[in-house]
Amino acid sequence: MKLIDRYLHEVKRHLPRKNREDILAELRSSLVDALESQAGEDASEEEARALLKEWGPPREVAASYHPEGQYLIGPALYPLFRMVVGIALAAVIGAQLLAWALAIAIGREPFVLWDALASLLNSIPMTVGSVAIVFMILQRFEVRPELEEDWDPSSLPRITDTEEVKRGELIAGVVFSILVLVLLVAFPEWVGFVTLPEGRFYANPVLGRYLGWIVISLLAGIGLNIYLLWQGRWGTVTRVLKVAVNLLSIGVLALLVRAHTTWLAARDAEGFLMTLEKFPELLEEGFHLVGMHAFRLAFGVALIVTSIETVVLIYRLLKAQLGKEYSPQGLKSEIN
Amino acid sequence: MIQEKLPHDVFDKLTQELRRGILVLAVLSRLDEERYGYDLISRLDEKGLEIEQGTLYPLLRRLEDQGLLTSEWNVEGSRPRRYYSLSPEGRTVLNALAGEWRRLAHVMDEMLEDITPEGGENEIN
């Protein structure tokens, strides 16, 4: 039977290697048995076709011989895989943002946004791919995560209400922001540093240029904090807004760090430590350089801290969104 | 009633799951003496239990891997055929499973006794 030969040849391609020939021989004898009992000894091509149609596509027939199903990463490993991918992605993206912040702060090479975005886009599939390959190998060698035999229910983690806002933190944030805002807007000439020998005050020459942006960013943060205090709970909208406010802060901080870098570069300033070392010889100008270095360092640290906080926020937000359909909160909000 | 309310694929899936558990018992019960695949399908069919070849042959191999069946090729007939029969372990397992089945069937019969066939008390919707 030509058609049966072709059918079995196709089945063979998808069968597991183990016992392949044996399975094929059995399938052949069963097919002929079935054909004979249905259509007699000299069955026509048409009757063979009907029989094969009934048996199903070759790939399906072959698949039923794979005892554990065919998985790249099976259900036993999948939860662990998801967790590791999440951690790896957060770490890689966090490191990348940190590297950008440092690149902007040091300002040695021009920072090109498109290059940075391209390298970020590159690193995501790289990370997911590498983790996937490791797990594919684990799956192939049938490594299974160990199940705890003697787990204790009382060791279960407590449920913390992550939606509750922390009032103390919010109020402190608002108060601090307002102080800075008032200082900047009302007394911009007070923001600077004192040069020691004569005790003269020297205002930061860079801040004034970016006053508008700084004010907008501070106002956005204050507004959001007050809204959160009023609401008392975090929600999806406020979380997204928090990310947006943070991104704005990151932008403004990056601008400030960059402006300080340009100012210092224009005066041929060396690194912070070198300047400190030489500064007795530099006298008054040395104070200016050290002061501006200190400002830059402070903004740089703020930039890094905000970046890390933002990555964590985005990660949590994505996780909450992905897990929503399974959570009771998600169900509740759908019903209401 | 139920078929009308429930999507067909859900009903089919549940039926399939229900059948999957009893197929092993049904196959073991027919392998008291040596039989080959197609013969087994016809015998189960006669008794009113349809089983697809795509289900039966992999199942036979799995049972053999588990040591419940033994098999050998027999070339005496019109064509070579693989004959399966119960191993001693298979016979023990068959007896134990049969006992468990009778117990379950009894429990389920009692449980389903007070279900009205018209589906009046069904809360599936």
Side-chain angles (χ1 to χ4, degrees), chain A residues 18-19 22-23 25-27 29-30 32-34 36-37 54-55 64-65, chain B residues 36-38 53-54 57-58 60-61 65 73 78-82 84:
Chain A
K18 195 184 153 208
N19 295 334
D22 197 68
I23 291 171
E26 185 181 26
L27 282 178
S29 82
S30 311
V32 179
D33 274 337
E36 264 182 27
S37 77
E54 195 186 310
W55 275 49
S64 61
Y65 282 93
Chain B
Y36 60 95
Y38 189 75
Q53 57 288 326
Y57 292 109
L60 288 171
R61 279 182 189 264
D65 282 346
W73 283 97
S78 52
R79 69 184 67 84
R81 285 177 180 131
R82 196 182 176 97
Y84 294 86

PDB file of all heavy atoms in Angstrom, chain A residues 18-19 22-23 25-27 29-30 32-34 36-37 54-55 64-65, chain B residues 36-38 53-54 57-58 60-61 65 73 78-82 84:
ATOM      1  N   LYS A  18      13.745   6.217  20.581  1.00  0.00           N
ATOM      2  CA  LYS A  18      13.686   4.927  21.267  1.00  0.00           C
ATOM      3  C   LYS A  18      12.532   4.091  20.692  1.00  0.00           C
ATOM      4  O   LYS A  18      11.409   4.588  20.570  1.00  0.00           O
ATOM      5  CB  LYS A  18      13.447   5.190  22.772  1.00  0.00           C
ATOM      6  CG  LYS A  18      13.722   4.010  23.646  1.00  0.00           C
ATOM      7  CD  LYS A  18      13.345   4.352  25.097  1.00  0.00           C
ATOM      8  CE  LYS A  18      12.974   3.082  25.835  1.00  0.00           C
ATOM      9  NZ  LYS A  18      12.016   3.317  26.916  1.00  0.00           N
ATOM     10  N   ASN A  19      12.809   2.841  20.345  1.00  0.00           N
ATOM     11  CA  ASN A  19      11.782   1.908  19.843  1.00  0.00           C
ATOM     12  C   ASN A  19      11.124   2.356  18.547  1.00  0.00           C
ATOM     13  O   ASN A  19      10.029   1.916  18.226  1.00  0.00           O
ATOM     14  CB  ASN A  19      10.653   1.706  20.875  1.00  0.00           C
ATOM     15  CG  ASN A  19      11.151   1.029  22.122  1.00  0.00           C
ATOM     16  OD1 ASN A  19      12.132   0.300  22.065  1.00  0.00           O
ATOM     17  ND2 ASN A  19      10.496   1.277  23.231  1.00  0.00           N
ATOM     18  N   ASP A  22      10.277  -0.436  16.048  1.00  0.00           N
ATOM     19  CA  ASP A  22       9.300  -1.342  16.628  1.00  0.00           C
ATOM     20  C   ASP A  22       7.889  -0.745  16.581  1.00  0.00           C
ATOM     21  O   ASP A  22       6.922  -1.406  16.215  1.00  0.00           O
ATOM     22  CB  ASP A  22       9.713  -1.623  18.074  1.00  0.00           C
ATOM     23  CG  ASP A  22       9.015  -2.839  18.621  1.00  0.00           C
ATOM     24  OD1 ASP A  22       9.320  -3.933  18.144  1.00  0.00           O
ATOM     25  OD2 ASP A  22       8.143  -2.664  19.490  1.00  0.00           O
ATOM     26  N   ILE A  23       7.817   0.543  16.946  1.00  0.00           N
ATOM     27  CA  ILE A  23       6.521   1.228  16.917  1.00  0.00           C
ATOM     28  C   ILE A  23       5.971   1.247  15.496  1.00  0.00           C
ATOM     29  O   ILE A  23       4.789   0.977  15.252  1.00  0.00           O
ATOM     30  CB  ILE A  23       6.666   2.671  17.459  1.00  0.00           C
ATOM     31  CG1 ILE A  23       6.957   2.645  18.960  1.00  0.00           C
ATOM     32  CG2 ILE A  23       5.421   3.480  17.179  1.00  0.00           C
ATOM     33  CD1 ILE A  23       7.327   3.995  19.538  1.00  0.00           C
ATOM     34  N   ALA A  25       6.602  -0.828  13.016  1.00  0.00           N
ATOM     35  CA  ALA A  25       6.166  -2.162  12.586  1.00  0.00           C
ATOM     36  C   ALA A  25       4.787  -2.471  13.144  1.00  0.00           C
ATOM     37  O   ALA A  25       3.913  -3.005  12.439  1.00  0.00           O
ATOM     38  CB  ALA A  25       7.180  -3.211  13.051  1.00  0.00           C
ATOM     39  N   GLU A  26       4.582  -2.099  14.398  1.00  0.00           N
ATOM     40  CA  GLU A  26       3.281  -2.359  15.011  1.00  0.00           C
ATOM     41  C   GLU A  26       2.183  -1.534  14.356  1.00  0.00           C
ATOM     42  O   GLU A  26       1.089  -2.028  14.091  1.00  0.00           O
ATOM     43  CB  GLU A  26       3.353  -2.044  16.509  1.00  0.00           C
ATOM     44  CG  GLU A  26       2.075  -2.415  17.238  1.00  0.00           C
ATOM     45  CD  GLU A  26       2.138  -2.093  18.718  1.00  0.00           C
ATOM     46  OE1 GLU A  26       2.901  -1.187  19.094  1.00  0.00           O
ATOM     47  OE2 GLU A  26       1.436  -2.754  19.496  1.00  0.00           O
ATOM     48  N   LEU A  27       2.508  -0.256  14.076  1.00  0.00           N
ATOM     49  CA  LEU A  27       1.517   0.604  13.419  1.00  0.00           C
ATOM     50  C   LEU A  27       1.150   0.044  12.050  1.00  0.00           C
ATOM     51  O   LEU A  27      -0.014   0.030  11.655  1.00  0.00           O
ATOM     52  CB  LEU A  27       2.068   2.031  13.272  1.00  0.00           C
ATOM     53  CG  LEU A  27       2.034   2.901  14.523  1.00  0.00           C
ATOM     54  CD1 LEU A  27       2.653   4.268  14.237  1.00  0.00           C
ATOM     55  CD2 LEU A  27       0.590   3.073  15.007  1.00  0.00           C
ATOM     56  N   SER A  29       1.287  -3.130  10.962  1.00  0.00           N
ATOM     57  CA  SER A  29       0.441  -4.321  11.010  1.00  0.00           C
ATOM     58  C   SER A  29      -0.969  -3.956  11.467  1.00  0.00           C
ATOM     59  O   SER A  29      -1.950  -4.512  10.983  1.00  0.00           O
ATOM     60  CB  SER A  29       1.076  -5.394  11.905  1.00  0.00           C
ATOM     61  OG  SER A  29       0.805  -5.151  13.250  1.00  0.00           O
ATOM     62  N   SER A  30      -1.078  -2.956  12.368  1.00  0.00           N
ATOM     63  CA  SER A  30      -2.410  -2.561  12.831  1.00  0.00           C
ATOM     64  C   SER A  30      -3.194  -1.881  11.716  1.00  0.00           C
ATOM     65  O   SER A  30      -4.403  -2.109  11.574  1.00  0.00           O
ATOM     66  CB  SER A  30      -2.298  -1.588  14.003  1.00  0.00           C
ATOM     67  OG  SER A  30      -1.413  -2.095  14.964  1.00  0.00           O
ATOM     68  N   VAL A  32      -2.868  -2.336   8.498  1.00  0.00           N
ATOM     69  CA  VAL A  32      -3.297  -3.334   7.506  1.00  0.00           C
ATOM     70  C   VAL A  32      -4.449  -4.164   8.072  1.00  0.00           C
ATOM     71  O   VAL A  32      -5.424  -4.449   7.363  1.00  0.00           O
ATOM     72  CB  VAL A  32      -2.103  -4.214   7.081  1.00  0.00           C
ATOM     73  CG1 VAL A  32      -2.553  -5.264   6.076  1.00  0.00           C
ATOM     74  CG2 VAL A  32      -1.006  -3.357   6.474  1.00  0.00           C
ATOM     75  N   ASP A  33      -4.347  -4.502   9.356  1.00  0.00           N
ATOM     76  CA  ASP A  33      -5.457  -5.205  10.007  1.00  0.00           C
ATOM     77  C   ASP A  33      -6.758  -4.440   9.861  1.00  0.00           C
ATOM     78  O   ASP A  33      -7.789  -4.988   9.479  1.00  0.00           O
ATOM     79  CB  ASP A  33      -5.166  -5.375  11.511  1.00  0.00           C
ATOM     80  CG  ASP A  33      -4.351  -6.632  11.792  1.00  0.00           C
ATOM     81  OD1 ASP A  33      -4.399  -7.544  10.962  1.00  0.00           O
ATOM     82  OD2 ASP A  33      -3.673  -6.676  12.841  1.00  0.00           O
ATOM     83  N   ALA A  34      -6.685  -3.153  10.199  1.00  0.00           N
ATOM     84  CA  ALA A  34      -7.883  -2.320  10.168  1.00  0.00           C
ATOM     85  C   ALA A  34      -8.429  -2.223   8.753  1.00  0.00           C
ATOM     86  O   ALA A  34      -9.639  -2.309   8.527  1.00  0.00           O
ATOM     87  CB  ALA A  34      -7.555  -0.935  10.706  1.00  0.00           C
ATOM     88  N   GLU A  36      -8.024  -4.299   6.254  1.00  0.00           N
ATOM     89  CA  GLU A  36      -8.596  -5.567   5.789  1.00  0.00           C
ATOM     90  C   GLU A  36      -9.965  -5.824   6.386  1.00  0.00           C
ATOM     91  O   GLU A  36     -10.871  -6.295   5.708  1.00  0.00           O
ATOM     92  CB  GLU A  36      -7.644  -6.724   6.128  1.00  0.00           C
ATOM     93  CG  GLU A  36      -6.765  -7.074   4.947  1.00  0.00           C
ATOM     94  CD  GLU A  36      -5.862  -8.252   5.246  1.00  0.00           C
ATOM     95  OE1 GLU A  36      -6.230  -9.098   6.087  1.00  0.00           O
ATOM     96  OE2 GLU A  36      -4.788  -8.315   4.633  1.00  0.00           O
ATOM     97  N   SER A  37     -10.094  -5.496   7.662  1.00  0.00           N
ATOM     98  CA  SER A  37     -11.384  -5.778   8.289  1.00  0.00           C
ATOM     99  C   SER A  37     -12.457  -4.828   7.785  1.00  0.00           C
ATOM    100  O   SER A  37     -13.637  -5.142   7.808  1.00  0.00           O
ATOM    101  CB  SER A  37     -11.270  -5.693   9.809  1.00  0.00           C
ATOM    102  OG  SER A  37     -11.246  -4.347  10.201  1.00  0.00           O
ATOM    103  N   GLU A  54      -9.083   8.803   9.332  1.00  0.00           N
ATOM    104  CA  GLU A  54      -9.640   8.483  10.638  1.00  0.00           C
ATOM    105  C   GLU A  54      -8.547   8.385  11.708  1.00  0.00           C
ATOM    106  O   GLU A  54      -8.749   8.772  12.857  1.00  0.00           O
ATOM    107  CB  GLU A  54     -10.377   7.134  10.509  1.00  0.00           C
ATOM    108  CG  GLU A  54     -11.301   6.790  11.638  1.00  0.00           C
ATOM    109  CD  GLU A  54     -11.833   5.375  11.451  1.00  0.00           C
ATOM    110  OE1 GLU A  54     -12.325   5.054  10.335  1.00  0.00           O
ATOM    111  OE2 GLU A  54     -11.708   4.577  12.392  1.00  0.00           O
ATOM    112  N   TRP A  55      -7.392   7.862  11.312  1.00  0.00           N
ATOM    113  CA  TRP A  55      -6.293   7.731  12.282  1.00  0.00           C
ATOM    114  C   TRP A  55      -5.698   9.072  12.688  1.00  0.00           C
ATOM    115  O   TRP A  55      -5.137   9.197  13.757  1.00  0.00           O
ATOM    116  CB  TRP A  55      -5.178   6.827  11.714  1.00  0.00           C
ATOM    117  CG  TRP A  55      -5.455   5.376  11.953  1.00  0.00           C
ATOM    118  CD1 TRP A  55      -6.620   4.731  11.693  1.00  0.00           C
ATOM    119  CD2 TRP A  55      -4.563   4.409  12.523  1.00  0.00           C
ATOM    120  NE1 TRP A  55      -6.519   3.417  12.051  1.00  0.00           N
ATOM    121  CE2 TRP A  55      -5.273   3.186  12.561  1.00  0.00           C
ATOM    122  CE3 TRP A  55      -3.253   4.446  12.977  1.00  0.00           C
ATOM    123  CZ2 TRP A  55      -4.697   2.013  13.057  1.00  0.00           C
ATOM    124  CZ3 TRP A  55      -2.689   3.283  13.468  1.00  0.00           C
ATOM    125  CH2 TRP A  55      -3.407   2.083  13.510  1.00  0.00           C
ATOM    126  N   SER A  64       1.666  11.153  20.289  1.00  0.00           N
ATOM    127  CA  SER A  64       1.075  10.393  21.389  1.00  0.00           C
ATOM    128  C   SER A  64       2.063   9.383  21.972  1.00  0.00           C
ATOM    129  O   SER A  64       1.819   8.823  23.037  1.00  0.00           O
ATOM    130  CB  SER A  64      -0.191   9.687  20.926  1.00  0.00           C
ATOM    131  OG  SER A  64       0.114   8.789  19.885  1.00  0.00           O
ATOM    132  N   TYR A  65       3.189   9.179  21.314  1.00  0.00           N
ATOM    133  CA  TYR A  65       4.202   8.262  21.847  1.00  0.00           C
ATOM    134  C   TYR A  65       5.239   8.964  22.721  1.00  0.00           C
ATOM    135  O   TYR A  65       6.141   8.333  23.233  1.00  0.00           O
ATOM    136  CB  TYR A  65       4.924   7.529  20.710  1.00  0.00           C
ATOM    137  CG  TYR A  65       4.096   6.402  20.138  1.00  0.00           C
ATOM    138  CD1 TYR A  65       3.277   6.613  19.047  1.00  0.00           C
ATOM    139  CD2 TYR A  65       4.135   5.134  20.711  1.00  0.00           C
ATOM    140  CE1 TYR A  65       2.507   5.589  18.531  1.00  0.00           C
ATOM    141  CE2 TYR A  65       3.369   4.111  20.207  1.00  0.00           C
ATOM    142  CZ  TYR A  65       2.557   4.339  19.107  1.00  0.00           C
ATOM    143  OH  TYR A  65       1.801   3.318  18.610  1.00  0.00           O
TER     144      TYR A  65
ATOM    145  N   TYR B  36      -3.435  -8.929  20.092  1.00  0.00           N
ATOM    146  CA  TYR B  36      -2.738  -7.851  19.398  1.00  0.00           C
ATOM    147  C   TYR B  36      -3.658  -6.635  19.321  1.00  0.00           C
ATOM    148  O   TYR B  36      -4.861  -6.730  19.588  1.00  0.00           O
ATOM    149  CB  TYR B  36      -2.249  -8.286  18.024  1.00  0.00           C
ATOM    150  CG  TYR B  36      -3.326  -8.746  17.073  1.00  0.00           C
ATOM    151  CD1 TYR B  36      -3.883  -7.867  16.153  1.00  0.00           C
ATOM    152  CD2 TYR B  36      -3.766 -10.064  17.082  1.00  0.00           C
ATOM    153  CE1 TYR B  36      -4.859  -8.270  15.275  1.00  0.00           C
ATOM    154  CE2 TYR B  36      -4.763 -10.481  16.212  1.00  0.00           C
ATOM    155  CZ  TYR B  36      -5.311  -9.588  15.314  1.00  0.00           C
ATOM    156  OH  TYR B  36      -6.279 -10.005  14.461  1.00  0.00           O
ATOM    157  N   GLY B  37      -3.066  -5.496  18.955  1.00  0.00           N
ATOM    158  CA  GLY B  37      -3.755  -4.210  19.051  1.00  0.00           C
ATOM    159  C   GLY B  37      -5.127  -4.158  18.414  1.00  0.00           C
ATOM    160  O   GLY B  37      -6.109  -3.805  19.081  1.00  0.00           O
ATOM    161  N   TYR B  38      -5.186  -4.523  17.147  1.00  0.00           N
ATOM    162  CA  TYR B  38      -6.459  -4.353  16.455  1.00  0.00           C
ATOM    163  C   TYR B  38      -7.539  -5.256  17.049  1.00  0.00           C
ATOM    164  O   TYR B  38      -8.698  -4.851  17.182  1.00  0.00           O
ATOM    165  CB  TYR B  38      -6.295  -4.626  14.958  1.00  0.00           C
ATOM    166  CG  TYR B  38      -7.543  -4.249  14.202  1.00  0.00           C
ATOM    167  CD1 TYR B  38      -7.832  -2.901  13.973  1.00  0.00           C
ATOM    168  CD2 TYR B  38      -8.443  -5.206  13.769  1.00  0.00           C
ATOM    169  CE1 TYR B  38      -8.980  -2.520  13.333  1.00  0.00           C
ATOM    170  CE2 TYR B  38      -9.609  -4.829  13.126  1.00  0.00           C
ATOM    171  CZ  TYR B  38      -9.878  -3.490  12.904  1.00  0.00           C
ATOM    172  OH  TYR B  38     -11.026  -3.116  12.282  1.00  0.00           O
ATOM    173  N   GLN B  53      -7.136   4.078  18.170  1.00  0.00           N
ATOM    174  CA  GLN B  53      -5.818   3.440  18.077  1.00  0.00           C
ATOM    175  C   GLN B  53      -4.730   4.388  18.565  1.00  0.00           C
ATOM    176  O   GLN B  53      -3.766   3.957  19.179  1.00  0.00           O
ATOM    177  CB  GLN B  53      -5.526   2.978  16.647  1.00  0.00           C
ATOM    178  CG  GLN B  53      -5.588   4.041  15.566  1.00  0.00           C
ATOM    179  CD  GLN B  53      -7.010   4.469  15.285  1.00  0.00           C
ATOM    180  OE1 GLN B  53      -7.939   3.658  15.364  1.00  0.00           O
ATOM    181  NE2 GLN B  53      -7.193   5.743  14.967  1.00  0.00           N
ATOM    182  N   GLY B  54      -4.943   5.698  18.316  1.00  0.00           N
ATOM    183  CA  GLY B  54      -3.954   6.696  18.756  1.00  0.00           C
ATOM    184  C   GLY B  54      -3.831   6.744  20.268  1.00  0.00           C
ATOM    185  O   GLY B  54      -2.847   7.247  20.805  1.00  0.00           O
ATOM    186  N   TYR B  57      -2.378   2.300  21.399  1.00  0.00           N
ATOM    187  CA  TYR B  57      -1.013   1.797  21.215  1.00  0.00           C
ATOM    188  C   TYR B  57       0.002   2.453  22.158  1.00  0.00           C
ATOM    189  O   TYR B  57       0.797   1.744  22.773  1.00  0.00           O
ATOM    190  CB  TYR B  57      -0.590   1.927  19.746  1.00  0.00           C
ATOM    191  CG  TYR B  57      -1.384   0.996  18.864  1.00  0.00           C
ATOM    192  CD1 TYR B  57      -2.337   1.476  17.986  1.00  0.00           C
ATOM    193  CD2 TYR B  57      -1.207  -0.379  18.948  1.00  0.00           C
ATOM    194  CE1 TYR B  57      -3.084   0.617  17.199  1.00  0.00           C
ATOM    195  CE2 TYR B  57      -1.953  -1.242  18.174  1.00  0.00           C
ATOM    196  CZ  TYR B  57      -2.899  -0.745  17.292  1.00  0.00           C
ATOM    197  OH  TYR B  57      -3.635  -1.599  16.545  1.00  0.00           O
ATOM    198  N   PRO B  58      -0.045   3.772  22.295  1.00  0.00           N
ATOM    199  CA  PRO B  58       0.880   4.353  23.286  1.00  0.00           C
ATOM    200  C   PRO B  58       0.590   3.867  24.708  1.00  0.00           C
ATOM    201  O   PRO B  58       1.515   3.653  25.488  1.00  0.00           O
ATOM    202  CB  PRO B  58       0.623   5.859  23.173  1.00  0.00           C
ATOM    203  CG  PRO B  58       0.072   6.033  21.800  1.00  0.00           C
ATOM    204  CD  PRO B  58      -0.746   4.808  21.540  1.00  0.00           C
ATOM    205  N   LEU B  60      -0.573   0.903  25.582  1.00  0.00           N
ATOM    206  CA  LEU B  60      -0.003  -0.444  25.720  1.00  0.00           C
ATOM    207  C   LEU B  60       1.494  -0.372  26.010  1.00  0.00           C
ATOM    208  O   LEU B  60       2.010  -1.095  26.852  1.00  0.00           O
ATOM    209  CB  LEU B  60      -0.241  -1.248  24.435  1.00  0.00           C
ATOM    210  CG  LEU B  60      -1.688  -1.692  24.195  1.00  0.00           C
ATOM    211  CD1 LEU B  60      -1.849  -2.281  22.793  1.00  0.00           C
ATOM    212  CD2 LEU B  60      -2.116  -2.699  25.253  1.00  0.00           C
ATOM    213  N   ARG B  61       2.178   0.523  25.311  1.00  0.00           N
ATOM    214  CA  ARG B  61       3.628   0.643  25.529  1.00  0.00           C
ATOM    215  C   ARG B  61       3.939   1.161  26.924  1.00  0.00           C
ATOM    216  O   ARG B  61       4.892   0.726  27.562  1.00  0.00           O
ATOM    217  CB  ARG B  61       4.239   1.577  24.481  1.00  0.00           C
ATOM    218  CG  ARG B  61       4.448   0.817  23.226  1.00  0.00           C
ATOM    219  CD  ARG B  61       5.074   1.534  22.102  1.00  0.00           C
ATOM    220  NE  ARG B  61       4.957   0.644  20.976  1.00  0.00           N
ATOM    221  CZ  ARG B  61       5.906  -0.182  20.582  1.00  0.00           C
ATOM    222  NH1 ARG B  61       7.063  -0.213  21.202  1.00  0.00           N
ATOM    223  NH2 ARG B  61       5.710  -0.984  19.562  1.00  0.00           N
ATOM    224  N   ASP B  65       6.102  -0.633  29.761  1.00  0.00           N
ATOM    225  CA  ASP B  65       7.225   0.009  30.459  1.00  0.00           C
ATOM    226  C   ASP B  65       7.066  -0.079  31.972  1.00  0.00           C
ATOM    227  O   ASP B  65       8.040  -0.178  32.711  1.00  0.00           O
ATOM    228  CB  ASP B  65       7.338   1.490  30.060  1.00  0.00           C
ATOM    229  CG  ASP B  65       7.984   1.646  28.697  1.00  0.00           C
ATOM    230  OD1 ASP B  65       8.567   0.651  28.230  1.00  0.00           O
ATOM    231  OD2 ASP B  65       7.889   2.735  28.094  1.00  0.00           O
ATOM    232  N   TRP B  73       6.542 -10.335  19.412  1.00  0.00           N
ATOM    233  CA  TRP B  73       6.101 -10.407  18.025  1.00  0.00           C
ATOM    234  C   TRP B  73       5.787 -11.850  17.693  1.00  0.00           C
ATOM    235  O   TRP B  73       6.509 -12.759  18.069  1.00  0.00           O
ATOM    236  CB  TRP B  73       7.194  -9.902  17.087  1.00  0.00           C
ATOM    237  CG  TRP B  73       7.290  -8.397  17.077  1.00  0.00           C
ATOM    238  CD1 TRP B  73       8.145  -7.643  17.792  1.00  0.00           C
ATOM    239  CD2 TRP B  73       6.496  -7.523  16.310  1.00  0.00           C
ATOM    240  NE1 TRP B  73       7.929  -6.323  17.535  1.00  0.00           N
ATOM    241  CE2 TRP B  73       6.916  -6.209  16.626  1.00  0.00           C
ATOM    242  CE3 TRP B  73       5.449  -7.693  15.392  1.00  0.00           C
ATOM    243  CZ2 TRP B  73       6.346  -5.092  16.053  1.00  0.00           C
ATOM    244  CZ3 TRP B  73       4.888  -6.574  14.825  1.00  0.00           C
ATOM    245  CH2 TRP B  73       5.327  -5.271  15.156  1.00  0.00           C
ATOM    246  N   SER B  78      -1.019 -14.097   9.131  1.00  0.00           N
ATOM    247  CA  SER B  78      -0.810 -13.605   7.774  1.00  0.00           C
ATOM    248  C   SER B  78       0.257 -12.510   7.746  1.00  0.00           C
ATOM    249  O   SER B  78       0.867 -12.260   6.729  1.00  0.00           O
ATOM    250  CB  SER B  78      -2.131 -13.058   7.242  1.00  0.00           C
ATOM    251  OG  SER B  78      -2.669 -12.129   8.158  1.00  0.00           O
ATOM    252  N   ARG B  79       0.474 -11.858   8.872  1.00  0.00           N
ATOM    253  CA  ARG B  79       1.514 -10.825   8.957  1.00  0.00           C
ATOM    254  C   ARG B  79       1.999 -10.766  10.397  1.00  0.00           C
ATOM    255  O   ARG B  79       1.298 -11.211  11.309  1.00  0.00           O
ATOM    256  CB  ARG B  79       0.972  -9.475   8.522  1.00  0.00           C
ATOM    257  CG  ARG B  79      -0.050  -8.872   9.461  1.00  0.00           C
ATOM    258  CD  ARG B  79      -0.602  -7.588   8.901  1.00  0.00           C
ATOM    259  NE  ARG B  79      -1.391  -7.837   7.712  1.00  0.00           N
ATOM    260  CZ  ARG B  79      -2.671  -8.185   7.739  1.00  0.00           C
ATOM    261  NH1 ARG B  79      -3.297  -8.308   8.879  1.00  0.00           N
ATOM    262  NH2 ARG B  79      -3.345  -8.396   6.644  1.00  0.00           N
ATOM    263  N   PRO B  80       3.219 -10.252  10.619  1.00  0.00           N
ATOM    264  CA  PRO B  80       3.717 -10.185  11.994  1.00  0.00           C
ATOM    265  C   PRO B  80       2.851  -9.258  12.847  1.00  0.00           C
ATOM    266  O   PRO B  80       2.440  -8.201  12.382  1.00  0.00           O
ATOM    267  CB  PRO B  80       5.137  -9.614  11.847  1.00  0.00           C
ATOM    268  CG  PRO B  80       5.247  -9.117  10.466  1.00  0.00           C
ATOM    269  CD  PRO B  80       4.184  -9.744   9.631  1.00  0.00           C
ATOM    270  N   ARG B  81       2.558  -9.713  14.065  1.00  0.00           N
ATOM    271  CA  ARG B  81       1.760  -8.873  14.967  1.00  0.00           C
ATOM    272  C   ARG B  81       2.370  -8.903  16.346  1.00  0.00           C
ATOM    273  O   ARG B  81       2.952  -9.898  16.755  1.00  0.00           O
ATOM    274  CB  ARG B  81       0.324  -9.408  15.056  1.00  0.00           C
ATOM    275  CG  ARG B  81      -0.500  -9.114  13.834  1.00  0.00           C
ATOM    276  CD  ARG B  81      -1.871  -9.747  13.984  1.00  0.00           C
ATOM    277  NE  ARG B  81      -2.683  -9.464  12.815  1.00  0.00           N
ATOM    278  CZ  ARG B  81      -3.361 -10.389  12.158  1.00  0.00           C
ATOM    279  NH1 ARG B  81      -3.308 -11.655  12.544  1.00  0.00           N
ATOM    280  NH2 ARG B  81      -4.090 -10.063  11.123  1.00  0.00           N
ATOM    281  N   ARG B  82       2.180  -7.800  17.045  1.00  0.00           N
ATOM    282  CA  ARG B  82       2.716  -7.718  18.400  1.00  0.00           C
ATOM    283  C   ARG B  82       1.616  -8.113  19.374  1.00  0.00           C
ATOM    284  O   ARG B  82       0.572  -7.471  19.436  1.00  0.00           O
ATOM    285  CB  ARG B  82       3.196  -6.292  18.670  1.00  0.00           C
ATOM    286  CG  ARG B  82       4.101  -6.172  19.857  1.00  0.00           C
ATOM    287  CD  ARG B  82       4.496  -4.716  20.071  1.00  0.00           C
ATOM    288  NE  ARG B  82       5.296  -4.590  21.276  1.00  0.00           N
ATOM    289  CZ  ARG B  82       6.624  -4.548  21.275  1.00  0.00           C
ATOM    290  NH1 ARG B  82       7.280  -4.602  20.138  1.00  0.00           N
ATOM    291  NH2 ARG B  82       7.280  -4.442  22.410  1.00  0.00           N
ATOM    292  N   TYR B  84       0.172  -8.738  23.188  1.00  0.00           N
ATOM    293  CA  TYR B  84       0.350  -8.282  24.580  1.00  0.00           C
ATOM    294  C   TYR B  84      -0.418  -9.208  25.511  1.00  0.00           C
ATOM    295  O   TYR B  84      -1.480  -9.725  25.148  1.00  0.00           O
ATOM    296  CB  TYR B  84      -0.207  -6.873  24.767  1.00  0.00           C
ATOM    297  CG  TYR B  84       0.531  -5.807  23.996  1.00  0.00           C
ATOM    298  CD1 TYR B  84       0.198  -5.516  22.670  1.00  0.00           C
ATOM    299  CD2 TYR B  84       1.548  -5.083  24.595  1.00  0.00           C
ATOM    300  CE1 TYR B  84       0.867  -4.540  21.967  1.00  0.00           C
ATOM    301  CE2 TYR B  84       2.221  -4.088  23.894  1.00  0.00           C
ATOM    302  CZ  TYR B  84       1.874  -3.826  22.584  1.00  0.00           C
ATOM    303  OH  TYR B  84       2.536  -2.856  21.893  1.00  0.00           O
TER     304      TYR B  84
END
